[in-house]
Amino acid sequence: MIQAILFDLDDTLYPEADFCRGGFAAVAEELERRGAGPAAAAQELLESIHFREGRENVLDKASARLGFSAGWVPELVGTFRRHEPDLTLPEETAAALDDLHRRYRLGIVTDGHADVQRRKLAALGLAERVDAIMIADDLGREHWKPHPLPLRVCCRGLGVRPTEAVLVGDYPPRDMAAAARAGMASVRIRTPGGYFSKRDKAGWPRADFDIRKLAELEGVLRRIPKQKVA
Ligand SMILES: [Mg+2]
């Protein structure tokens, strides 16, 4: 029987776009300070590249189009990462976590730079709503998902075996792959507007179930194949 639920953080418990917009605003202000033109125009360009073209090499592309030195990019990446996130936990997430917490142990397993993830978790007030938080980066960069170790450590913290837990996440190459390696079932959340919600590639590992919102989660937990569950 499933006794614990492990959640990914970004685009699973809150819209990561909110974090990105805040980071781009900080970068755009820095660009204006350095004389690269008005912040509003830079922010619009950064968001347009990220959300329409893809999130790879956003600052390099912006440097070519706005005409600022590519040598600034590493510092601007730092500006993006260090900005103080202004995030709100969606009401739907808060309600779902509180409801699920009556019947399940809850954990969070997140990738990303530890200090950045800590700021997000603090801004969202998530520590009070779950029983265990595992920032994979604290185990070393090589242990980010899809490495199964952070999932196993989180399960240990919750006092359950991996076969008694399920991972909920939005990005199959990291989340579903890590769950499979840890011997856990997984549920993919495709929140409308989420970066990966409509992206799919051949060869991505499959989740046991797909959902569109956390309110659908409990309904599918009972249907997880018996051979996966202790
Ligand atoms: Mg995610």
Side-chain angles (χ1 to χ4, degrees):
M1 217 177 96
I2 295 290
Q3 298 189 28
I5 307 168
L6 275 49
F7 294 94
D8 162 58
L9 175 61
D10 297 297
D11 264 352
T12 294
L13 293 180
Y14 83 101
E16 190 176 13
D18 292 352
F19 175 80
C20 294
R21 284 194 191 93
F24 290 142
V27 169
E29 279 166 31
E30 177 63 15
L31 284 170
E32 181 175 295
R33 204 182 60 76
R34 294 183 181 206
Q43 170 140 17
E44 196 180 325
L45 177 73
L46 291 163
E47 289 187 14
S48 162
I49 296 172
H50 177 97
F51 294 112
R52 299 210 186 112
E53 299 174 30
R55 61 187 193 179
E56 290 79 30
N57 311 315
V58 173
L59 291 172
D60 291 301
K61 289 180 181 173
S63 126
R65 292 181 210 175
L66 287 175
F68 65 81
S69 164
W72 293 0
V73 168
E75 288 164 36
L76 295 171
V77 169
T79 303
F80 182 92
R81 287 192 186 139
R82 280 193 310 272
H83 87 277
E84 202 53 55
D86 179 17
L87 304 173
T88 307
L89 193 68
E91 264 178 49
E92 186 183 285
T93 300
L97 289 179
D98 291 349
D99 185 46
L100 291 163
H101 210 178
R102 294 191 194 105
R103 289 171 292 281
Y104 301 93
R105 309 269 293 153
L106 304 182
I108 295 172
V109 181
T110 180
D111 285 334
H113 297 269
D115 51 346
V116 177
Q117 299 311 96
R118 278 201 181 84
R119 280 193 285 274
K120 292 175 182 171
L121 290 160
L124 292 164
L126 277 165
E128 301 90 73
R129 292 187 188 270
V130 298
D131 305 298
I133 293 178
M134 177 77 251
I135 297 177
D137 203 32
D138 286 338
L139 301 170
R141 174 66 182 83
E142 69 279 18
H143 291 119
W144 288 21
K145 295 173 280 184
H147 200 291
L149 185 64
L151 280 63
R152 292 191 179 125
V153 172
C154 192
C155 283
R156 215 173 298 144
L158 294 172
V160 300
R161 287 174 288 171
T163 48
E164 296 169 323
V166 60
L167 180 80
V168 182
D170 69 299
Y171 183 41
R174 290 239 174 111
D175 296 316
M176 278 70 252
R181 290 198 201 170
M184 290 173 56
S186 68
V187 174
R188 179 176 177 183
I189 184 158
R190 297 177 183 260
T191 312
Y195 186 83
F196 293 109
S197 66
K198 290 184 176 166
R199 286 175 162 90
D200 272 297
K201 278 193 186 155
W204 277 10
R206 299 279 303 263
D208 293 283
F209 291 99
D210 282 20
I211 57 175
R212 284 169 58 83
K213 51 185 177 179
L214 287 176
E216 297 170 2
L217 180 59
E218 190 155 23
V220 305
L221 291 184
R222 294 186 212 104
R223 294 161 53 209
I224 286 174
K226 288 248 180 325
Q227 69 270 19
K228 289 218 170 197
V229 179

